[in-house]
Amino acid sequence: QREFVACGEGYKGLWKEGRLCTVQLARKVWPGQSSYSLGNICAALGIAVEHRHRAGGDAEAALNLLHRAAELKGAAFLESMVKRRAVLLPAGIQAGELPEHPGVYYFLDGKGRAIYIGKAINLRKRIVSHFSRNGKGGQWLQRVAEIRTEPAGNELAALLLEYLAILKHKPEFNVQGRFPLQLYHLFIYQNRAGQPKLAIARGKKPEQVLQTFRSRDAARDAYLQLLETHAICPVFNHQSRQRCAKPDCYCKETAETRDVLHADRMAILVQTATLPDTGRFWVSGAGRMPGEKSVLLMEGEQPLAFGFAPEEANPPAEEIPDYLQYLPDAANLRALVEPFLGHKKTLIPTSS
């Protein structure tokens, strides 16, 4: 997008122009090459490439490659290689005019009723995916007469706005109960020998949870990062039969020394990774416009209120300000926001 701006052009996406794969093109025009990556095929043809792996440099190299191909095969051949994405948006709606920020989108029928509500980090990409040939949309998309969007500022705010909008409008084609209940928990447990261990559990929440995630991959990444940060032996922690490859690892010490070192490092891990018991606190994020932030007010594990506040606003200790909306007491709502309550998020305890 910066390259478009540098050229004096506003970036509105390339939805209409189609796609041409330089690898597939080069295989047809110059068969028998050892590699068809952009850098290698340009080198083989003597095409100079500056600023490799930058948008501007790669675009210039691809353009020169297309000129060479057109000289040999003609413009009609290049046109035949273009794959155009079938995007059939409702009449009067242009993909390039849809916003790219996080938010909520509403599909309305001819009577102005919301028949589907969704959220996205990038509204344009998500909306277009519904109507593309490879999308998951069904016959019901033919009933969409209008699309409206609402900015959110960040992913958590988009999730909450979507949740509240679905409760309010009850769209016909939103699947009930689709909000996540099966989460992945990073937690501490004691094995039979009384040694503390770090593990991942799915579904029911264990007692000593450090962090919660919506995907197994995210939980696994955090698990490995915590072990590395606190120099905890993954083989000993996992009680694996494999042998630790590190010659100076504490798992090579005597059993007594090893257990003490492991317990000490696990204790430090727990202190730094556990969500503090703050009573009431809030989680803030980017707002919809400058000078604003999104705010989720929590009471322990219960989401209490949500809204958008002035950037300088402080957490309310008692009364809920007018800019916040009370949230329903629902298990699926707690599951929805729980992954955003980790120690890496902005947590601001209130004063008692």
Side-chain angles (χ1 to χ4, degrees):
Q1 296 185 26
R2 287 194 297 268
E3 296 290 347
F4 272 86
V5 173
C7 294
E9 297 288 340
Y11 180 81
K12 293 186 177 180
L14 302 174
W15 307 107
K16 295 181 180 179
E17 286 73 6
R19 301 289 187 271
L20 192 156
C21 176
T22 56
V23 173
Q24 295 176 359
L25 174 70
R27 282 175 175 165
K28 287 184 175 293
V29 180
W30 298 282
Q33 299 294 322
S34 59
S35 173
Y36 290 95
S37 67
L38 182 61
N40 289 335
I41 192 64
C42 284
L45 298 175
I47 298 175
V49 181
E50 295 183 2
H51 307 296
R52 184 75 177 99
H53 297 303
R54 300 299 297 269
D58 284 356
E60 187 174 358
L63 179 61
N64 290 331
L65 187 68
L66 293 180
H67 284 161
R68 291 282 188 92
E71 291 173 0
L72 292 173
K73 294 290 187 176
F77 172 78
L78 262 65
E79 179 64 27
S80 69
M81 293 289 296
V82 175
K83 294 183 179 180
R84 303 193 183 279
R85 188 177 186 183
V87 179
L88 303 175
L89 291 171
I93 299 175
Q94 300 296 326
E97 298 174 354
L98 294 170
E100 294 187 283
H101 51 61
V104 177
Y105 57 93
Y106 300 76
F107 289 168
L108 310 180
D109 63 11
K111 296 182 179 180
R113 297 173 301 192
I115 60 175
Y116 184 83
I117 298 173
K119 65 89 185 172
I121 298 177
N122 185 312
L123 284 168
R124 180 190 298 172
K125 288 184 178 180
R126 185 69 188 99
I127 292 170
V128 167
S129 71
H130 281 286
F131 295 91
S132 68
R133 183 173 54 189
N134 298 325
K136 298 181 180 179
Q139 293 289 330
W140 64 272
L141 284 173
Q142 298 178 12
R143 291 176 51 187
V144 178
E146 182 182 356
I147 300 175
R148 294 180 184 173
T149 62
E150 179 181 2
N154 62 81
E155 184 181 5
L156 174 58
L159 282 167
L160 291 169
L161 287 173
E162 178 199 32
Y163 182 90
L164 294 172
I166 290 174
L167 288 181
K168 178 180 178 181
H169 297 283
K170 298 179 174 55
E172 180 180 352
F173 296 103
N174 280 95
V175 179
Q176 296 298 318
R178 67 185 181 84
F179 296 106
L181 291 175
Q182 293 294 313
L183 300 172
Y184 292 85
H185 305 284
L186 203 57
F187 72 105
I188 300 291
Y189 74 97
Q190 302 281 336
N191 66 3
R192 293 180 180 179
Q195 299 165 337
K197 300 290 183 178
L198 180 66
I200 300 172
R202 181 187 179 191
K204 186 177 180 180
K205 189 174 181 179
E207 289 187 8
Q208 193 173 358
V209 172
L210 304 180
Q211 299 172 31
T212 301
F213 304 87
R214 288 205 304 275
S215 72
R216 185 182 183 278
D217 288 343
R220 179 68 177 171
D221 289 345
Y223 169 85
L224 295 175
Q225 182 62 46
L226 284 173
L227 294 182
E228 181 179 355
T229 300
H230 297 279
I232 295 172
C233 175
V235 177
F236 181 69
N237 177 76
H238 190 58
Q239 295 178 295
S240 173
R241 294 183 179 180
Q242 299 177 355
R243 299 189 63 181
C244 178
K246 296 181 179 180
D248 57 345
C249 181
Y250 67 87
C251 69
K252 306 292 196 305
E253 302 286 346
T254 62
E256 182 178 357
T257 302
R258 175 199 63 195
D259 292 349
V260 170
L261 290 172
H262 181 78
D264 289 345
R265 296 180 188 191
M266 289 292 291
I268 296 173
L269 182 152
V270 171
Q271 291 175 1
T272 57
T274 303
L275 182 69
D277 182 13
T278 56
R280 178 179 289 190
F281 62 94
W282 73 6
V283 183
S284 64
R288 301 162 297 182
M289 62 188 73
E292 180 186 74
K293 61 185 175 184
S294 70
V295 170
L296 170 63
L297 185 64
M298 298 287 298
E299 190 78 64
E301 294 186 353
Q302 176 61 41
L304 189 60
F306 164 74
F308 294 92
E311 197 166 17
E312 68 277 3
N314 294 316
E318 297 180 0
E319 294 185 5
I320 305 300
D322 294 338
Y323 55 74
L324 296 183
Q325 174 184 352
Y326 277 98
L327 295 171
D329 183 4
N332 60 351
L333 180 56
R334 290 194 293 272
L336 188 70
V337 305
E338 192 167 12
F340 294 88
L341 306 182
H343 71 287
K344 292 184 179 179
K345 301 299 177 181
T346 307
L347 301 177
I348 312 176
T350 63
S351 58
S352 56

